[in-house]
Amino acid sequence: MTSAVTTENSARPGYGQLLRTPGALGFVLPGFAARLPFGMLTISILLLVQHTTGSYGAAGVVAAVTGVSMALSAPLMGIFTDRFGQSAVLLPVVLTHAAAVSGLAALALLGAPVWALALAAVPTGASVPQVGPMVRARWAARLEGSPLLPTAAAFESVTDEFTFVVGPVLATALCTGVHPAAGLVTEATLTLLGGLLFAARRATQPKPHAPSATGEKRAFALSYPGLRVLIFAFLGIGAVFGGMQVSLAAFSNEIGNPGANGLLYGVFAAGNMIAGIAMGAVAWKIGPRRRLILGYIGLTAAASVLWAAHSMILLGALGLVVGLFIAPALITGYTMVEQLVPANARTEAFTWLTGSIAFGQAIAVTLAGRLTDAHGSSYGFLVPMGATALALATLLALRAKLAPKAPSRIVNSSGPAAATAAPAVAQTAAPAAAQAAAAGPSASAPAARNRVNERGMGHRVPVTVD
């Protein structure tokens, strides 16, 4: 036992060790290629529709419909993925998405009314492939119970944020420097090619959890209260993304430099990426629930001062700080899914969180767009402030739901029989101790030895301070 513990401690979890996991690079690289377009979608819609209609409010409505459609379809896609497998779901989805995005771009260029664009945005959002949750599900399946799992969550957050660094900058450059629809066309192309490549990597896919022949019931991920609390927390994070996208675009136009939008949003996402790298490199001594709350407090405080920034340098600095606090909340939330939700509903759980971000982003895009049209970019930044404050209040009120349930029995060397007898042992432990004390030291020592033997020699109970 000593040698095993020593070996485990000497191999400190890190990114190098994580990527040496057998088969990891085979799904990490295609997964990145398939996720890059996700960071381009909302900003490409905003820029194209704003160009064709002249209104941030109209652009926000179309982007919001896209986000809501994705939020509603993502959990359903997760359920189908858990049941039928990733490739079976991903192949038709990426084909549908490419066609839907192409149709939306064509309608916008033809000058279609906002209601028609919103209608076309429904299949566009509903068909967004949930590659990020699928990659996380592959990590969870391969690292079940491993100390590398938090490192994998940090790595995925860094990957997500890298797409949000590159995606908006690429989309902005294409829409402003090539053609207003170039961002959406590129997004559709990359989604199709990357999705097909990722779907082809079948060896590392988690096994489908189809209903068994014995009629075994499968609980849906939303039935677990801890996940529902995380959904509220991720709504606030999505609102930060959406509010920042609209408000930064409006601010860049106000100062006469539309191209600054990609730079400012890239700085914001870079802060998130830097914090994500640091999160994965630190061996944390506090529990995930406390990390989540502390990170969210910092995020709320930073988002509350964005509205006061009236220069590009100050707004970039504040955006960087906001990004630094998003990563701890995102990484910790995704890590906690492994503790709160069983494996047969884990992809669904990840899609609920991804969908929650999309839904929060959609609501924020709508509100920020209307506020920006009416009062300017400073008012758009009030949306991240209000959303994170509400989410933090919910998180604090329901934080008890985030504690994983304690095991219902003690596992020891006596086997299942001892587990069955555990209630009886608990009921008789106090009287036995009292009798031993009355009999004196000579009797108490054997009693103590008996209590140790009942739990099993060398038994250890791990404790996490949270």
Side-chain angles (χ1 to χ4, degrees), residues 290-310:
R290 184 173 298 178
R291 294 203 306 270
L292 176 62
I293 292 174
L294 291 176
Y296 221 100
I297 290 173
L299 174 61
T300 304
S304 298
V305 295
L306 286 170
W307 63 272
H310 298 292

Side-chain angles (χ1 to χ4, degrees), residues 134-377:
M134 291 180 184
V135 173
R136 286 182 166 91
R138 294 194 188 203
W139 280 123
R142 300 191 75 80
L143 300 175
E144 184 95 31
S146 168
L148 282 170
L149 196 57
T151 306
F155 179 81
E156 288 307 305
S157 179
V158 172
T159 303
D160 282 340
E161 290 319 306
F162 188 74
T163 65
F164 278 105
V165 171
V166 176
V169 175
L170 177 60
T172 300
L174 290 170
C175 291
T176 59
V178 179
H179 190 276
L184 277 182
V185 172
T186 304
E187 189 274 344
T189 303
L190 291 177
T191 298
L192 179 62
L193 297 179
L196 293 176
L197 184 61
F198 180 76
R201 310 298 298 184
R202 297 174 180 268
T204 54
Q205 294 182 21
K207 294 181 179 179
H209 296 276
S212 65
T214 59
E216 179 184 358
K217 293 183 178 180
R218 171 193 179 277
F220 291 103
L222 200 59
S223 64
Y224 296 91
L227 179 65
R228 297 198 294 268
V229 177
L230 291 177
I231 287 173
F232 277 102
F234 277 48
L235 278 171
I237 294 174
V240 174
F241 288 130
M244 293 286 281
Q245 285 180 341
V246 173
S247 301
L248 289 176
F251 175 83
S252 299
N253 281 335
E254 289 172 359
I255 64 174
N257 186 7
N261 174 41
L263 175 62
L264 288 172
Y265 196 85
V267 170
F268 157 68
N272 197 345
M273 186 171 63
I274 292 170
I277 294 173
M279 284 284 292
V282 173
W284 295 98
K285 295 183 179 179
I286 60 175
R289 180 172 56 175
R290 184 173 298 178
R291 294 203 306 270
L292 176 62
I293 292 174
L294 291 176
Y296 221 100
I297 290 173
L299 174 61
T300 304
S304 298
V305 295
L306 286 170
W307 63 272
H310 298 292
S311 71
M312 184 172 173
I313 294 177
L314 181 57
L315 187 56
L318 289 176
L320 179 68
V321 174
V322 172
L324 289 172
F325 282 110
I326 284 182
L330 272 177
I331 292 170
T332 307
Y334 278 121
T335 302
M336 293 176 76
V337 168
E338 196 263 344
Q339 300 175 341
L340 299 172
V341 180
N344 64 354
R346 204 163 283 158
T347 303
E348 180 197 347
F350 287 134
T351 54
W352 272 109
L353 296 184
T354 303
S356 180
I357 294 175
F359 190 77
Q361 184 176 0
I363 299 301
V365 163
T366 303
L367 294 177
R370 292 187 177 276
L371 289 171
T372 297
D373 278 344
H375 306 289
S377 62

